[in-house]
Amino acid sequence: MNLRLITLLTILTVIISTTMAQRKISGTIVDTDTHDAIEFANIALLKQDSTFVAGASSDTKGLFAFNDITDGEYILSATYVGYKKAYIPINDLKQNIDLGDVSLKSSDVALNDVTVTANAVIQKPDRKVIIPSDAQIKASNSGITLLRNLQLSRIIVNPLDNTVSIPGDQPVQLRINGVEVTVAEVVAIQPADIIRIEYHDDPGMRYGNAGAVIDYITRRRESGGSLSGNLANVFFQDMGWGENFVSAKVNHKKSEFGVNAYWSRRDIEWTRENEETFIFPDKTLKRVEEGVPTTFKDDRLNVALNYSLNETDKYLFNATFRNNYQKTPNQFSDRNSLLYSTDNRDNPLSISDHSTWRSYSPSLDLYYQRNLKNNQLLIFNAVGTYIDSKSTRLYQESRNNELSTDIYSSVLGEKYSFIAEGIYEKTLSSGKFSAGLKHTQSYTSNTYEGNVSTDIGLNFAETYGYAEFQLRKNKFNYTFGLGVMRTYNSQGENSNKKYIFRPNLRVSYTINDNAYIRYNGYISGYSPSLSDLNNVEQEIDSLQIRRGNPDLRTVWYYTNTLNAGFNKGIFGAEFFMRYSYDHKPIMEKITFEEGKFIRTNINQKGFHRLYTEINFKLKPFGDYLTLSMAPGYNRYISYGEDFTHTYGYWRIRGSVTLNYKKWIFNAEAWTRWNNFWGETMDRGERLHTIMAGYNAEKWSLNVGMFNPFSKSYSQDSRNYSALAPNKSYVYTDNLKQIVVVNFTMNLNFGRQYKAGNKRLNNDDTDAGIMSGSKK
């Protein structure tokens, strides 16, 4: 018994002493200059001989911890992109230790001390956090090209105009440090200033109806400044095309002054061909339109002036004045053609359809952000906008040089709008609570002259409030939200008002470090466009009229989304599936009245859509070579008062990115991205590109070719109306095998810093004018 007792006591002593020797090492990673927490920093615990013991990442508050560490001598290493590596010795560990603030100093040369050999993807409950690798940074010359090189699932970057979209034509919000921005501002980002990209592939209530959100988290400056330019143009070819960006920033103490300019130009010849069938009560008329190349010309110049005043961790005030100007002397809908019909095959009509557009839109954006105690934040944003616009259209039909149809319209528009928004956030130990309120008020005045003369005044208001709570528990994350939206519009004696409740539920589960699954379901709504609400008629041609509808109602819809992902080593795969239903959607209805076919939008019965896509990514040589392929399938069911249509199609896109040191090669291609709405199927563009270039420290030069293996560039649509079905085909030879030269310049002067950036941005670009042009 004594021997057994001694043995038992010995074992208990060893267990107790071993347990007591398990220590905890914790701390907070912060910026040396601003003392801001640095999230997703890499922390390694090493022995004195540099043997690896354990690794961790800091959370959203910069906190980290190592548990169950035995007594001994250690070295703690902390690194993050754009910062110098920090080492902290831990001598004679015999008890739990809190290191407090572990400071990282910003490196003047990005990635000089910390090199990320492979881009890190951190799956959060509501977003993906992507830390670009050193190779990806060096292979990019702007924020847009970096996004293209990352090849994120569902994100499509159009190389022709730098637009960012997802399948289904849903809007993608672009943000910088939480601020909603334009493509021009993203192009102006210097890749070396990008710390990480946060990809909200299933955005929450705060982002409204966005299909996705791309948020660039960047380094910021304390003094000195920067000058950058990105010039992409086509030379020595029979067309005009250019995308040009210039930006500059200067910092002084707590203030920052900035200017940003974007100039886009197009001068392209398009050919339009149509097949139309008109079912009259007593006959059927078929018309075939054979077009000739017709000029489309468009110039846009957008300028933004910005001033911000910031005191870190206390407040931020930001004022931005924007002025957007657009002049389109020849619109995309223009055409010259011959029209053959079944009632006169040998003597065609000569068609001339010419439209112009001009708009001038100044706006003032005021923003204030206040950090409160106990992890609380208040944000206020107010935007006032004025839009002055003018559009004209001249449509003529003639036979044997005798004019038979002459339609002219001129619309002068003025719009005044005001948008105000406030957001409150509080970070809790196991989650976050947020609430917001947004109100939009506008008045639009349009004067129609020509064949139709009338004055239209339209009042519009929309108010949206929400509250959302996020709870973390083990491997699960739950988000519960409830919002209420009120819409109102009035025109003359007509007025409409509607309330929509907008609940939201998101559940995510982290399977392990390499896999996740997430579900999101919500109800939301959208208002009719101002142009559709106009109580006015516009002649389209000798047989058709477009009519506005002031009785349109706000639409509510619900959406269910399921996505899952796996990413380990050289292979990654992501699955996405979304089903949505629109109740009483706004769709076109065609009727026959007094010898004319009337096209107007009404609230039809319902619309179902299903999007699916799976994205495969392979990196056989790290980020030096990335192969991506994404097949998908879309299905649509459209219910109207007098029609039911179903449509489904398969699609695929793929890309190859190769970079070595400062050289870059990229090739991508995708099949047509089709869309169905109401009774119309639109077939999108089929595009493929190749591009190669060299990126130096302060400049880059890239040469690319669009559609090198195509004979033409085309789009088309098909309408399945029972009364007036039609087919439309639009193509151009100007966009085949075109060579684009892209030159960028990024210059910095003075030292750099971190300063607060605004987290909201609201704007208004809808002029509210209804057009009579054929679509």
Side-chain angles (χ1 to χ4, degrees):
M1 292 292 294
N2 291 337
L3 179 60
R4 292 180 180 179
L5 179 61
I6 293 172
T7 302
L8 178 61
L9 292 174
T10 301
I11 293 174
L12 290 175
T13 302
V14 171
I15 294 174
I16 293 172
S17 61
T18 302
T19 302
M20 292 178 63
Q22 303 299 307
R23 311 301 182 191
K24 177 180 180 180
I25 302 173
S26 60
T28 305
I29 306 298
V30 300
D31 183 280
T32 300
D33 298 323
T34 67
H35 303 291
D36 291 339
I38 300 175
E39 54 183 333
F40 312 123
N42 296 316
I43 304 102
L45 187 65
L46 312 172
K47 292 183 178 180
Q48 289 290 330
D49 60 359
S50 298
T51 303
F52 180 82
V53 177
S57 296
S58 58
D59 64 13
T60 55
K61 297 181 181 179
L63 300 174
F64 70 91
F66 294 103
N67 297 306
D68 302 329
I69 304 300
T70 58
D71 292 352
E73 305 285 332
Y74 297 96
I75 298 174
L76 185 137
S77 167
T79 65
Y80 193 62
V81 178
Y83 289 84
K84 295 180 179 179
K85 185 180 293 185
Y87 295 97
I88 297 178
I90 301 175
N91 300 317
D92 194 21
L93 178 67
K94 291 184 178 181
Q95 60 184 3
N96 294 342
I97 181 173
D98 185 352
L99 299 174
D101 288 347
V102 177
S103 299
L104 297 185
K105 184 174 180 58
S106 178
S107 173
D108 289 336
V109 181
L111 303 174
N112 185 45
D113 298 285
V114 181
T115 299
V116 182
T117 58
N119 76 285
V121 179
I122 303 171
Q123 180 63 46
K124 306 294 288 183
D126 57 345
R127 67 194 186 279
K128 295 181 181 68
V129 178
I130 300 99
I131 302 175
S133 69
D134 178 56
Q136 290 168 332
I137 290 289
K138 290 180 178 179
S140 305
N141 57 30
S142 72
I144 286 292
T145 56
L146 176 61
L147 184 63
R148 183 181 297 121
N149 293 338
L150 288 174
Q151 298 183 8
L152 302 181
S153 62
R154 298 175 59 235
I155 294 297
I156 305 167
V157 181
N158 190 320
L160 287 174
D161 56 11
N162 290 312
T163 56
V164 182
S165 62
I166 60 175
D169 291 331
Q170 287 185 287
V172 175
Q173 286 188 13
L174 299 175
R175 294 173 177 258
I176 300 176
N177 298 314
V179 184
E180 188 175 352
V181 296
T182 64
V183 171
E185 293 166 271
V186 173
V187 172
I189 302 176
Q190 299 183 22
D193 286 342
I194 298 173
I195 298 173
R196 67 180 185 272
I197 292 178
E198 298 190 353
Y199 175 27
H200 301 254
D201 55 347
D202 193 13
M205 301 186 73
R206 172 180 168 184
Y207 301 103
N209 298 326
V213 176
I214 303 292
D215 194 356
Y216 293 81
I217 307 303
T218 65
R219 303 171 65 215
R220 293 154 289 186
R221 312 174 188 281
E222 183 176 38
S223 62
S226 65
L227 175 65
S228 64
N230 191 310
L231 312 177
N233 292 274
V234 172
F235 300 101
F236 314 116
Q237 290 184 259
D238 190 22
M239 65 170 292
W241 184 94
E243 292 281 311
N244 301 287
F245 307 84
V246 178
S247 67
K249 285 185 178 181
V250 176
N251 298 94
H252 178 67
K253 296 182 178 179
K254 298 179 181 180
S255 296
E256 179 179 85
F257 303 85
V259 60
N260 185 294
Y262 162 63
W263 175 40
S264 168
R265 62 184 183 91
R266 299 288 188 273
D267 191 350
I268 303 171
E269 287 193 338
W270 291 87
T271 301
R272 292 179 173 271
E273 296 180 353
N274 295 303
E275 294 182 15
E276 300 174 305
T277 301
F278 297 96
I279 312 299
F280 289 86
D282 57 347
K283 66 176 181 178
T284 297
L285 176 64
K286 293 185 177 180
R287 304 199 303 186
V288 177
E289 187 175 343
E290 297 180 358
V292 298
T294 306
T295 298
F296 161 61
K297 191 172 184 178
D298 178 80
D299 281 278
R300 304 184 186 201
L301 180 61
N302 300 337
V303 179
L305 303 176
N306 175 263
Y307 169 76
S308 65
L309 178 68
N310 170 70
E311 185 170 347
T312 306
D313 293 330
K314 290 187 178 181
Y315 66 84
L316 167 66
F317 171 74
N318 189 91
T320 303
F321 175 77
R322 297 183 178 90
N323 186 38
N324 297 337
Y325 178 76
Q326 181 182 2
K327 183 178 181 181
T328 311
N330 303 89
Q331 289 207 53
F332 182 69
S333 59
D334 283 10
R335 71 193 198 278
N336 295 297
S337 56
L338 293 177
L339 186 62
Y340 297 86
S341 60
T342 53
D343 60 354
N344 197 336
R345 297 178 184 272
D346 299 325
N347 194 8
L349 283 170
S350 179
I351 302 296
S352 174
D353 192 352
H354 175 59
S355 299
T356 69
W357 171 266
R358 186 271 306 156
S359 66
Y360 166 76
S361 177
S363 66
L364 180 62
D365 183 341
L366 300 177
Y367 176 95
Y368 181 72
Q369 175 181 316
R370 183 73 182 185
N371 295 335
L372 306 176
K373 296 180 179 179
N374 301 320
N375 297 316
Q376 298 179 96
L377 176 69
L378 283 175
I379 300 173
F380 299 98
N381 187 213
V383 181
T385 304
Y386 170 72
I387 302 177
D388 174 44
S389 61
K390 180 180 181 180
S391 67
T392 66
R393 181 183 182 231
L394 177 62
Y395 175 85
Q396 293 180 325
E397 297 178 1
S398 60
R399 180 179 279 121
N400 300 325
N401 294 323
E402 291 186 6
L403 191 64
S404 58
T405 302
D406 188 11
I407 300 172
Y408 175 75
S409 65
S410 173
V411 187
L412 299 176
E414 287 188 305
K415 180 180 179 181
Y416 304 84
S417 70
F418 179 75
I419 303 173
E421 182 172 13
I423 287 180
Y424 168 79
E425 291 183 356
K426 179 174 175 58
T427 302
L428 308 171
S429 59
S430 60
K432 184 172 68 173
F433 172 78
S434 62
L437 182 65
K438 179 179 179 180
H439 179 75
T440 301
Q441 188 79 39
S442 69
Y443 174 74
T444 304
S445 174
N446 292 329
T447 300
Y448 291 79
E449 297 178 347
N451 293 63
V452 176
S453 297
T454 186
D455 292 326
I456 298 294
L458 177 64
N459 288 290
F460 174 82
E462 181 176 287
T463 304
Y464 170 57
Y466 75 91
E468 191 172 56
F469 177 69
Q470 180 178 327
L471 174 66
R472 296 187 300 271
K473 187 165 183 163
N474 300 323
K475 292 187 176 183
F476 283 93
N477 188 285
Y478 307 91
T479 302
F480 309 92
L482 179 62
V484 179
M485 182 174 75
R486 175 189 181 271
T487 63
Y488 171 84
N489 66 77
S490 66
Q491 185 176 169
E493 298 179 356
N494 298 319
S495 64
N496 292 313
K497 179 173 63 176
K498 187 169 185 176
Y499 291 87
I500 295 178
F501 288 93
R502 297 173 55 173
N504 178 61
L505 170 66
R506 179 189 289 112
V507 180
S508 62
Y509 176 70
T510 303
I511 300 172
N512 52 44
D513 291 340
N514 307 115
Y516 75 95
I517 187 170
R518 182 173 65 228
Y519 164 80
N520 183 25
Y522 63 90
I523 296 176
S524 189
Y526 56 88
S527 302
S529 69
L530 299 183
S531 58
D532 287 336
L533 289 169
N534 278 333
N535 188 16
V536 67
E537 291 186 354
Q538 290 274 66
E539 291 183 276
I540 300 174
D541 54 29
S542 57
L543 296 178
Q544 302 178 89
I545 292 175
R546 191 175 309 282
R547 178 184 293 169
N549 184 3
D551 295 323
L552 289 172
R553 304 290 181 174
T554 297
V555 180
W556 68 264
Y557 66 93
Y558 63 80
T559 297
N560 293 277
T561 304
L562 180 68
N563 53 341
F566 173 83
N567 195 337
K568 185 176 182 180
I570 66 173
F571 177 75
E574 293 204 31
F575 172 76
F576 176 89
M577 180 173 66
R578 172 172 290 171
Y579 164 77
S580 62
Y581 170 74
D582 294 47
H583 183 67
K584 301 290 186 180
I586 298 170
M587 297 174 172
E588 188 177 65
K589 179 180 177 64
I590 301 177
T591 58
F592 183 76
E593 299 178 13
E594 300 179 355
K596 299 279 188 177
F597 292 87
I598 311 300
R599 294 179 177 267
T600 186
N601 284 334
I602 68 169
N603 291 98
Q604 299 279 12
K605 288 184 178 180
F607 187 76
H608 302 263
R609 60 192 134 193
L610 176 69
Y611 297 131
T612 60
E613 181 176 289
I614 184 166
N615 182 276
F616 300 99
K617 188 181 294 185
L618 185 65
K619 298 183 177 182
F621 303 105
D623 286 315
Y624 292 103
L625 175 62
T626 303
L627 307 173
S628 176
M629 182 178 66
Y633 178 77
N634 290 1
R635 177 72 173 173
Y636 306 91
I637 304 176
S638 182
Y639 292 109
E641 291 184 346
D642 52 7
F643 64 80
T644 298
H645 299 293
T646 61
Y647 175 70
Y649 78 101
W650 290 92
R651 51 184 167 75
I652 190 170
R653 60 188 172 96
S655 64
V656 177
T657 300
L658 175 66
N659 56 76
Y660 178 71
K661 294 185 178 180
K662 297 181 179 181
W663 294 92
I664 175 73
F665 172 81
N666 176 267
E668 57 185 328
W670 59 76
T671 57
R672 295 188 186 275
W673 300 84
N674 302 343
N675 187 49
F676 198 95
W677 183 256
E679 295 192 276
T680 302
M681 185 270 290
D682 293 312
R683 299 180 70 212
E685 59 194 5
R686 181 172 53 211
L687 187 67
H688 54 281
T689 65
I690 55 175
M691 184 169 292
Y694 178 82
N695 293 335
E697 181 179 350
K698 296 181 179 180
W699 61 272
S700 71
L701 181 64
N702 293 270
V703 179
M705 178 175 286
F706 298 151
N707 299 316
F709 311 111
S710 293
K711 295 182 179 180
S712 65
Y713 176 92
S714 65
Q715 302 174 9
D716 60 89
S717 66
R718 180 173 297 184
N719 183 278
Y720 297 92
S721 166
L723 282 179
N726 67 76
K727 300 178 184 178
S728 176
Y729 183 64
V730 186
Y731 64 93
T732 179
D733 292 335
N734 288 156
L735 293 179
K736 68 173 183 179
Q737 302 164 7
I738 63 171
V739 178
V740 176
V741 179
N742 179 213
F743 174 77
T744 66
M745 175 188 66
N746 295 311
L747 302 177
N748 296 294
F749 55 91
R751 61 189 180 90
Q752 301 187 2
Y753 84 123
K754 286 194 169 184
N757 275 270
K758 52 180 288 193
R759 301 176 62 187
L760 287 177
N761 189 66
N762 295 293
D763 62 6
D764 186 359
T765 58
D766 183 4
I769 292 178
M770 186 181 74
S771 171
S773 299
K774 284 191 176 181
K775 297 181 180 179

